[in-house]
Amino acid sequence: MTIALIDGNNFYAACEQSIDPSLVDQPLVVLSNNDGCIISRNAEAKAFGIPMGAPFFKVRTKLKQYGVKIRSSNYALYGDMSERFMNLIKNYCEELEIYSIDEAFVNIKRPMNCNLHPWAKELRTHIYQNLSLPIAIGIGATKTQAKLANYLAKKVADTAGIFDLEISKHQEDWLESIAVENVWGIGHKMAQWCRLRGINNALQLRDAPSHELKAKLGITGIRLQNELKGVRCIPFAKYNKAKKETCVSRSFNKPITTMDELRQAISSYAVRASEKLRKQNQVAGIITIFTRTSLHKATFYSKSASKRLKPHSNDTSILLNASLALTPEIFKQNLPLIKAGVIMQDLQEDKYLQLHLFETYNSQSTIQRKVLMQTIDNLNQRYGSNTVRWTAYGTSPTWSMRRKYLSPSATTRLTDIPIVIS
DNA sequence: TCTGGGGTCCTAGGACCC
DNA sequence: TCTGGGGTCCTAGGACCC
């Protein structure tokens, strides 16, 4: 078996372009939630030297000057496009592991002549014809090799978005061409450490003394090195693994200073987190809420508070009450809070709900609660989120996300379907 | 004015067990 | 002089990923 990593090029920007023909061939950037910073750029925008992750307010003038189009994050759109993307890939491989919203690892068999190019080419065409999304395909003996191959498929001219590192006659040369910071699993800190030791590229990392890597990076270092050599250490996860925690957090549109606002925000995140749990068929054993001031100010404040839930639950009322009870513990007077969130932890599958030996339970009301939650979820799913809502988070929040350049939910909401005038 | 959101894995150290 | 050996579980924090 061989591994391929398939991903969408500039995925968010490409999704925006696929629903709005006026964006084609135009430089385009997509902003993070709250229109904070740049998280996706198409090739035309990259050509202007607009860096990834740049705070929007710092590059705003430049964007205007170059006539770059701007979109706020539209996760309803990207999530739906991702689902379509993965479903198309499924027909082209033996096993699929969805790694992120725009990336998937697949297991494939090499044909007799070992050449996977025709397969890759066909898949690329198929995706483009169906979704107008350009993709890159990297092939390798291990996940890490596939990742590097994918990187090369995008960087090296003349590859047409496909690169097979496993059977390349010049594998070592290619590894040498990849800077150490571009290796999957090597972040900012580790790259610094590598550079200090003269480990500058993927080849040098592969051949570095193992005991030094072990000492610094632990078991992950040894794994990484073996993966570079072609020895599989990171397993292929065919099935969606159950989440270990689930978090809902947001930055505010502007700093908040009152307990009332914080309560509203926390409430709305707790409601959303409960929905997520039910969708994942999970119940939480611990709920944590947190808030903080800006990282970029001299006085930094950050506080969290947790509560154990007995028994585990995904009932909105229970999680809402727990988070509201915790809110006074994290609130501090006269501080400009810019972000808050709710984290659900110690997650279990809801069908194996563990009850407590010395508590009494009313199974009738438990079932009724479950049906109630289901009904609310169904109504919100069918008629739009917030059709049925909890009053705890108010009707017109002053703190909600800024999304000034939002595109329509063209693939998930009937009223937003694009209209073609011929 | 203004810098995202949502995750995972690993490790070290402390508390505790027999 | 000298104070065991082997283990589990939990937590906080660091590092990384997209």
Side-chain angles (χ1 to χ4, degrees):
Chain A
M1 280 290 188
T2 287
I3 297 185
L5 176 72
I6 302 160
D7 78 344
N9 299 348
N10 318 320
F11 189 71
Y12 297 168
C15 288
E16 295 290 350
Q17 284 178 309
S18 79
I19 60 158
D20 183 352
S22 76
L23 296 175
V24 175
D25 296 331
Q26 298 289 314
L28 168 70
V29 298
V30 177
L31 304 177
S32 65
N33 271 341
N34 221 23
D35 294 345
C37 50
I38 289 169
I39 55 168
S40 183
R41 309 103 79 217
N42 68 358
E44 289 83 353
K46 281 180 196 173
F48 286 129
I50 296 152
M52 183 70 166
F56 180 43
F57 73 91
K58 281 192 182 169
V59 291
R60 181 177 238 147
T61 327
K62 200 170 166 183
L63 296 177
K64 198 162 183 185
Q65 188 186 333
Y66 293 134
V68 178
K69 307 272 185 190
I70 300 163
R71 288 292 178 270
S72 301
S73 286
N74 181 348
Y75 287 99
L77 172 66
Y78 314 147
D80 183 65
M81 290 294 274
S82 172
E83 210 171 295
R84 293 165 193 242
F85 176 47
M86 299 302 170
N87 281 329
L88 291 173
I89 298 174
K90 259 181 205 157
N91 301 322
Y92 276 78
C93 63
E94 322 237 337
E95 289 173 330
L96 172 81
E97 176 189 338
I98 297 172
Y99 178 68
S100 74
I101 193 162
D102 71 330
E103 270 176 90
F105 287 105
V106 303
N107 254 331
I108 31 160
K109 270 204 189 84
R110 278 193 190 274
M112 291 294 278
N113 68 1
C114 285
N115 188 2
L116 278 168
H117 264 81
W119 166 83
K121 222 172 140 184
E122 195 185 321
L123 176 56
R124 277 194 100 216
T125 311
H126 188 60
I127 302 286
Y128 195 78
Q129 281 173 346
N130 280 275
L131 301 173
S132 48
L133 294 178
I135 61 167
I137 302 176
I139 301 167
T142 61
K143 282 188 171 177
T144 306
Q145 277 192 9
K147 265 278 187 185
L148 295 183
N150 181 279
Y151 172 80
L152 292 170
K154 292 203 188 92
K155 289 280 165 204
V156 182
D158 306 330
T159 57
I162 299 165
F163 200 99
D164 191 336
L165 191 59
E166 187 179 23
I167 59 165
S168 166
K169 289 194 180 70
H170 310 287
Q171 197 190 87
E172 298 214 332
D173 296 339
W174 288 118
L175 287 178
E176 199 172 9
S177 78
I178 300 170
V180 71
E181 35 280 289
N182 292 324
V183 174
W184 189 43
I186 298 292
H188 177 67
K189 287 276 162 94
M190 291 309 149
Q192 261 181 347
W193 180 86
C194 287
R195 290 272 183 192
L196 279 174
R197 270 154 196 79
I199 303 168
N200 297 309
N201 57 54
L203 184 68
Q204 287 173 338
L205 182 63
R206 187 195 77 177
D207 298 334
S210 298
H211 63 274
E212 282 186 23
L213 279 184
K214 174 91 201 299
K216 180 66 185 177
L217 298 160
I219 191 73
T220 30
I222 299 298
R223 261 184 220 153
L224 179 51
Q225 200 169 39
N226 278 320
E227 286 257 321
L228 286 171
K229 290 176 184 162
V231 180
R232 283 202 189 187
C233 297
I234 304 171
F236 195 90
K238 189 176 160 187
Y239 304 103
N240 280 351
K241 270 197 276 179
K243 285 200 196 314
K244 297 178 178 175
E245 56 180 51
T246 273
C247 168
V248 176
S249 75
R250 298 278 184 278
S251 295
F252 305 127
N253 156 24
K254 54 176 192 245
I256 63 167
T257 49
T258 67
M259 172 92 113
D260 213 36
E261 290 168 305
L262 183 62
R263 282 169 61 94
Q264 286 184 20
I266 291 284
S267 307
S268 76
Y269 305 155
V271 170
R272 178 75 194 103
S274 313
E275 281 170 11
K276 278 170 98 171
L277 284 180
R278 292 194 291 273
K279 198 167 175 203
Q280 294 161 199
N281 296 314
Q282 288 181 309
V283 283
I286 297 171
I287 180 167
T288 299
I289 66 166
F290 68 90
T291 188
R292 65 170 174 83
T293 57
S294 172
L295 293 167
H296 310 279
K297 294 273 186 290
T299 53
F300 179 64
Y301 169 82
S302 165
K303 187 131 194 235
S304 68
S306 306
K307 186 178 190 313
R308 183 158 275 287
L309 299 161
K310 294 180 186 170
H312 283 54
S313 178
N314 62 15
D315 186 314
T316 301
S317 306
I318 291 173
L319 298 168
L320 194 50
N321 281 330
S323 48
L324 284 174
L326 287 170
T327 306
E329 291 183 35
I330 61 167
F331 179 73
K332 200 166 167 189
Q333 206 76 45
N334 299 326
L335 276 179
L337 302 170
I338 62 129
K339 181 172 179 169
V342 173
I343 311 171
M344 302 291 181
Q345 292 151 312
D346 186 22
L347 304 187
Q348 288 179 4
E349 246 189 281
D350 60 0
K351 63 179 169 185
Y352 299 129
L353 179 59
Q354 180 70 52
L355 299 179
H356 277 261
L357 188 57
F358 303 113
E359 300 276 335
T360 51
Y361 298 96
N362 180 341
S363 61
Q364 181 63 29
S365 89
T366 310
I367 292 166
Q368 284 175 348
R369 296 290 317 175
K370 220 172 166 167
V371 174
L372 175 62
M373 290 302 133
Q374 227 161 43
T375 310
I376 292 171
D377 289 343
N378 289 344
L379 285 169
N380 283 335
Q381 164 78 34
R382 184 159 174 184
Y383 299 105
S385 55
N386 284 337
T387 300
V388 180
R389 51 190 294 157
W390 268 255
T391 48
Y393 52 94
T395 47
S396 52
T398 52
W399 40 266
S400 62
M401 260 199 297
R402 192 162 44 227
R403 296 205 284 181
K404 195 175 159 196
Y405 312 94
L406 186 62
S407 53
S409 299
T411 61
T412 54
R413 193 184 296 155
L414 267 181
T415 50
D416 285 6
I417 283 181
I419 295 167
V420 180
I421 301 161
S422 58

